[in-house]
Amino acid sequence: MTRNDIISVLGPVDEAVIADIALTGASLEELREAFAWIGADEALVNEGRAMPGTRVAKLIEILEPPEDEPETPGAME
């Protein structure tokens, strides 16, 4: 997955976040799935979707902000 692929899903993000995502070896589809889980996890569970796989879960971990930060994943300031 390229830097441009990552930005196409997430928008502008910090270079460290891009590097962390690239190092997971995840596909563009896995990144899209992780982003969907962050935005609507309850809806996806209610829809009967299987819980995220290992790589998707790692992407979610990278993208989710800590509890005390805004909800924009890896947003540049």
Side-chain angles (χ1 to χ4, degrees), residues 34-45:
F35 195 62
W37 275 102
I38 290 170
D41 61 342
E42 287 182 33
L44 294 173
V45 169

Side-chain angles (χ1 to χ4, degrees), residues 18 27 29 43 45 50 52 59-60 62 73:
I18 291 172
S27 68
E29 186 56 39
V45 169
L59 290 169
I60 291 169
I62 292 168

Side-chain angles (χ1 to χ4, degrees), residues 1 3 8 10 16-18 27 31-32 36 43 49 53 62 65 68 70:
M1 184 168 29
R3 178 182 185 282
S8 75
L10 304 178
V17 172
I18 291 172
S27 68
L31 178 60
R32 287 182 180 135
R49 296 273 304 261
I62 292 168
D68 60 345

Side-chain angles (χ1 to χ4, degrees), residues 46-59:
N46 291 339
E47 198 177 272
R49 296 273 304 261
M51 295 305 286
T54 305
R55 276 196 284 212
V56 173
K58 179 63 178 169
L59 290 169

Side-chain angles (χ1 to χ4, degrees), residues 6-21:
I6 295 167
I7 291 170
S8 75
V9 174
L10 304 178
V13 292
D14 185 86
E15 291 297 322
V17 172
I18 291 172
D20 288 346
I21 290 170

